[in-house]
């Protein structure tokens, strides 16, 4: 926890000033996550000095947990020659992400230094860098444990002991043929429960859930959550094992995707950095276009109101209920769109389910609309604004709520069908669209139910 890092800060700074060589002994019992917090609180030269005093295999798991900005700053502070041994001990996927996130020249220099320190680690970077960052290939690591099908359980366990230091996960052991094709999977639990003399072919599972490297990261997260796997293999078209994706990487994906969806729902373009790490003008660039677009779209509401000027002038009390009606429509549409967007994200809803969705949403719209209409009509009756206006608002509320449920649920499905992110149909955009449609319903209902009042007002004017 952060308080651990805060408590250690004075002692660490004192040791850095007096005897940096003793830092390793002080930090050896502290969790890597707390050490990463600690490095984040120190000046860059202090953090770099700590990393230099630690062995590369001790520094790597701490370095992995730092933010990209902190990693970049420390690579420049350490120099690529000093950073390369640490980077070589990082997980293959984390190592690749780091080098791709660095400025091109720095990344190239670090990769060149890495080739001298650990040619195999450099080759893994070049292999993983071929795949898009948001795909299964971009998430996978090549650090896994594999065995041939011909050995015994006892021999497999011995191999795990020897190679577990280099593997990111040992929950599963992958059974490969001589040409690296994936034949089966054995869980660590199955190995421990099997007889030492059993053959791997007797205990392995051949019904393998595997991903292609092109699979989108959202689909990866959904499949791992559905099957409760701690890791999933990634295979090529020839069934050769390319790598594995571990659950910790999927957690990062879920956090990233949820953050992006929430930002889009609030009509903000997704931002890669945290709130305080994002520059002031970056916020302006991300927020201004949506706000401007929503402002312009609200002009349509004003245009519609102007078109019905005569009705509003004839029955001035109509204007009192406009805020209530458009707010109700916007809230209803936002509720429906949020439910459907979430359903699409977790796989509960698919674009092909649109008929079932529209039936449910219209049904909910009728019930909710009736409830809200009764509340609204009761209030108007108590104000004494007359039965005609009371029924005008009541019928409008019914129509607006049904329309809000329908539009709010169908728009995300339509966008997903087009291959777009459904979160783009953000709640402010839905609200603006329903504002316009709601005003049209309201004033046309008023035109029908208050025709006599409007006609009398028109004669009075003439």
């Amino acid at each position: 926890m952060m308080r651990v890092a805060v408590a250690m800060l004075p002692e660490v700074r004192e040791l850095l000033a007096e005897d940096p060589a003793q830092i390793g002994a002080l930090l050896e019992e502290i969790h890597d996550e707390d050490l990463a917090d600690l490095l984040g609180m120190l000046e860059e030269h202090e953090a770099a000095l700590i990393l230099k005093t630690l062995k590369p295999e001790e520094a790597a798991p701490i370095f992995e947990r730092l933010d990209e900005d902190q990693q970049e700053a420390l690579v420049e502070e350490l120099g690529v020659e000093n950073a390369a041994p640490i980077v070589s001990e990082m997980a293959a996927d984390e190592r690749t992400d780091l080098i791709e996130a660095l400025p091109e020249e720095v990344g190239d220099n670090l990769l060149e230094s890495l080739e001298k320190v650990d040619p195999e680690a450099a080759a893994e970077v070049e292999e993983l860098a071929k795949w898009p960052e948001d795909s299964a290939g971009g998430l996978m690591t090549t650090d896994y444990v594999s065995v041939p099908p011909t050995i015994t359980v006892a021999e497999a366990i011995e191999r795990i002991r020897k190679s577990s230091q280099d593997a990111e996960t040992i929950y599963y052991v992958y059974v490969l043929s001589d040409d690296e094709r994936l034949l089966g999977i054995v869980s660590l639990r199955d190995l421990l429960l099997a007889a030492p003399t059993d053959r791997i072919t007797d205990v392995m599972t051949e019904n393998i859930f595997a991903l292609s490297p092109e699979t989108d990261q959202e689909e990866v997260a959904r499949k791992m959550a559905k099957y409760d796997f701690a890791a999933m293999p990634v295979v090529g078209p020839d069934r050769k094992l390319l790598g594995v994706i571990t659950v910790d990487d999927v957690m990062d994906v879920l956090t990233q995707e949820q953050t992006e969806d929430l930002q889009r729902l609030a009509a903000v373009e997704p931002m890669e950095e945290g709130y305080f790490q994002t520059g002031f003008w970056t916020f302006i660039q991300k927020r201004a276009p949506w706000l401007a677009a929503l402002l312009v779209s609200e002009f349509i509401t004003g245009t519609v109101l102007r078109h019905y000027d005569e009705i509003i002038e004839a029955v001035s009390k109509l204007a009192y209920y406009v805020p209530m009606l458009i707010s109700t429509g916007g809230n209803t549409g936002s509720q429906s769109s949020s439910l459907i967007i979430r359903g699409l994200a977790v796989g509960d809803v698919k674009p092909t389910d649109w008929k079932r969705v529209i039936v449910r949403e219209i049904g909910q719209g009728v019930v909710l609309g009736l409830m809200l209409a009764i509340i609204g009509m009761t209030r108007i009756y108590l104000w004494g604004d007359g039965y005609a206006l009371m029924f005008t608002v009541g019928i409008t509320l019914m129509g607006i709520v049904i329309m809000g449920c329908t539009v709010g649920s169908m728009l995300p499905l339509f966008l997903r069908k087009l291959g777009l992110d459904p979160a783009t149909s953000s709640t402010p955009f839905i609200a603006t669209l329903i504002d316009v449609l709601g005003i049209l319903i309201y004033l046309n209902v008023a035109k029908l139910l208050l025709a006599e009042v409007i006609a009398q007002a028109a004669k009075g004017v003439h």
Side-chain angles (χ1 to χ4, degrees):
M1 297 175 70
M2 185 67 74
R3 63 171 179 265
V4 175
V6 172
M8 293 183 63
L9 193 59
E11 189 176 356
V12 168
R13 281 199 159 130
E14 185 179 343
L15 268 180
L16 284 173
E18 296 176 0
D19 190 1
Q22 298 300 316
I23 285 288
L26 174 66
L27 304 183
E28 62 182 359
E29 297 298 326
I30 311 300
H31 193 280
D32 293 332
E33 193 66 49
D34 293 324
L35 294 178
D37 290 337
L38 176 64
L39 261 62
M41 296 177 185
L42 295 169
E43 298 294 330
E44 289 170 9
H45 70 277
E46 294 175 321
L49 182 55
I50 288 179
L51 292 175
K52 284 180 182 178
T53 63
L54 298 174
K55 297 176 182 177
E57 60 269 22
E58 295 171 346
I62 304 169
F63 194 76
E64 284 180 352
R65 288 168 164 80
L66 298 172
D67 294 336
E68 282 185 2
D69 288 345
Q70 293 174 318
Q71 289 179 339
E72 181 180 336
L74 284 174
V75 167
E76 294 190 7
E77 183 70 31
L78 288 165
V80 292
E81 293 81 8
N82 291 322
I86 297 173
V87 173
S88 72
E89 295 293 334
M90 294 170 65
D93 53 336
E94 299 282 355
R95 186 190 310 136
T96 304
D97 290 342
L98 168 64
I99 290 175
E100 289 188 326
L102 291 170
E104 187 174 355
E105 185 178 349
V106 179
D108 290 344
N109 290 338
L110 180 56
L111 185 58
E112 189 177 327
S113 295
L114 186 61
E115 286 176 347
K116 298 173 184 175
V117 174
D118 189 343
E120 187 178 339
E124 288 174 342
V125 170
E126 292 174 350
E127 178 65 26
L128 294 178
K130 295 190 305 187
W131 306 106
E133 188 178 349
D134 59 354
S135 69
L139 291 174
M140 69 184 182
T141 178
T142 53
D143 297 330
Y144 55 84
V145 178
S146 65
V147 296
T150 54
I151 64 174
T152 64
V153 167
E155 291 171 327
I157 292 174
E158 187 58 33
R159 288 198 181 204
I160 293 172
R161 288 196 182 102
K162 290 178 179 178
S163 57
S164 61
Q165 293 292 330
D166 299 325
E168 186 166 340
T169 176
I170 55 171
Y171 297 124
Y172 303 109
V173 176
Y174 299 91
V175 185
L176 306 183
S177 64
D178 292 338
D179 57 355
E180 301 294 314
R181 284 187 304 108
L182 182 61
L183 302 177
I185 296 176
V186 186
S187 70
L188 188 59
R189 180 178 183 274
D190 289 340
L191 281 176
L192 293 175
L193 294 177
T197 55
D198 285 348
R199 292 281 170 187
I200 288 295
T201 48
D202 297 329
V203 295
M204 74 180 188
T205 300
E206 296 182 56
N207 182 22
I208 306 164
F209 292 93
L211 302 163
S212 69
E214 297 85 6
T215 305
D216 183 76
Q217 63 180 10
E218 283 191 76
E219 183 62 21
V220 173
R222 276 196 289 269
K223 286 195 173 182
M224 288 193 71
K226 179 178 179 180
Y227 295 109
D228 287 331
F229 288 142
M232 283 189 79
V234 180
V235 299
D238 53 2
R239 296 294 292 177
K240 284 189 176 180
L241 183 60
L242 302 176
V244 298
I245 298 174
T246 54
V247 70
D248 59 318
D249 295 319
V250 171
M251 293 298 292
D252 292 339
V253 169
L254 289 173
T255 302
Q256 176 189 338
E257 294 292 340
Q258 288 171 356
T259 301
E260 288 182 3
D261 285 348
L262 284 172
Q263 289 171 344
R264 284 197 176 100
L265 284 169
V268 178
E269 280 296 307
M271 286 170 278
E272 295 181 1
E273 305 295 338
Y275 183 85
F276 289 108
Q277 286 74 43
T278 302
F280 177 84
W281 288 107
T282 302
F283 276 119
I284 302 300
Q285 292 168 7
K286 298 289 187 179
R287 297 175 67 173
W290 269 107
L291 290 174
L294 292 169
L295 176 64
V296 171
S297 65
E298 286 289 1
F299 292 165
I300 303 172
T301 307
T303 303
V304 171
L305 286 170
R306 284 178 177 274
H307 183 71
Y308 290 91
D309 249 354
E310 293 181 3
I311 298 175
I312 295 173
E313 286 178 9
V315 189
S316 59
K317 289 182 179 179
L318 284 170
Y320 298 159
Y321 303 104
V322 169
M324 177 187 73
L325 293 171
I326 62 176
S327 174
T328 301
N331 292 338
T332 306
S334 297
Q335 281 184 339
S336 293
S337 66
S338 297
L339 290 171
I340 298 302
I341 289 168
R342 183 58 183 164
L344 287 168
V346 299
D348 287 343
V349 180
K350 301 178 181 63
T352 52
D353 295 329
W354 70 270
K355 290 181 182 178
R356 293 172 59 197
V357 171
I358 199 169
V359 169
R360 290 172 67 91
E361 288 296 322
I362 290 175
Q364 292 176 59
V366 170
V367 175
L368 293 169
L370 184 60
M371 291 170 56
L372 296 175
I374 291 171
I375 296 170
M377 290 167 70
T378 301
R379 183 56 176 154
I380 294 168
Y381 174 78
L382 294 174
W383 268 333
D385 286 341
Y387 288 106
L389 188 56
M390 183 179 76
F391 282 109
T392 297
V393 172
I395 292 170
T396 302
L397 275 169
M398 280 284 295
I400 281 179
V401 172
I402 293 170
M403 178 198 62
C405 288
T406 306
V407 173
S409 61
M410 289 297 103
L411 191 54
L413 293 175
F414 177 68
L415 289 174
R416 172 57 67 86
K417 185 71 175 176
L418 294 178
L420 302 173
D421 189 334
T424 307
S425 61
S426 60
T427 48
F429 179 72
I430 291 279
T432 303
L433 177 61
I434 293 173
D435 284 355
V436 176
L437 298 175
I439 292 295
L440 285 170
I441 292 173
Y442 182 39
L443 296 177
N444 278 289
V445 171
K447 194 174 182 180
L448 290 172
L449 297 187
L450 301 174
E452 186 177 339
V453 178
I454 293 167
Q456 288 177 357
K459 287 179 183 177
V461 172
H462 294 303

